[in-house]
Amino acid sequence: QVFDQSWFNSAELLDDQLLLLLESLERKIVSQQLKLVSTHITLGWFEGPFRVDARLLSFPRQEDQSLTMALVELSRVKLREDGSAVPMEQPFEVVAALYVALYVLSLLSG
């Protein structure tokens, strides 16, 4: 995929994602979510079903895992507890926007 600035302009986070990001920040799970998203965004896994590292889906609290799965699903990737994932329609732009948001929150939360 060729990068230009027009793809980013159309990739805005939904209000629900922003609320989940705020909750993630409060729960101090942003860095783990960033690892999960960044591992796969750089691999170009948007062509079909893929697997994620189950360790990145392992959270001390079940609520944290559910929150993360919901956040990723709002980015057009269906993520399951067994580590399997299925991209939905055109996920790259939305996942890229999520990555940027997680990266900035991670930097700000130090």
Side-chain angles (χ1 to χ4, degrees), residues 15-88:
D15 288 344
D16 289 344
Q17 285 176 298
L18 296 174
L19 292 173
L20 291 175
L21 284 169
L22 179 59
E23 190 172 344
S24 297
L25 189 59
E26 291 171 356
R27 292 175 174 267
K28 299 182 184 336
I29 59 172
V30 169
S31 63
Q32 188 169 349
Q33 291 172 331
L34 177 61
K35 288 178 190 171
L36 175 70
V37 172
S38 66
T39 298
H40 297 286
I41 196 170
T42 57
L43 297 177
W45 44 259
F46 301 105
E47 297 301 318
F50 61 95
R51 298 205 52 85
V52 299
D53 185 342
R55 294 174 292 190
L56 295 175
L57 283 173
S58 177
F59 290 88
R61 295 179 300 240
Q62 177 63 34
E63 300 86 26
D64 295 344
Q65 181 185 34
S66 297
L67 186 152
T68 300
M69 291 173 68
L71 184 61
V72 171
E73 187 166 338
L74 286 170
S75 299
R76 300 183 191 150
V77 175
K78 178 69 177 166
L79 188 58
R80 297 186 184 97
E81 288 183 24
D82 68 358
S84 62
V86 179
M88 295 181 257

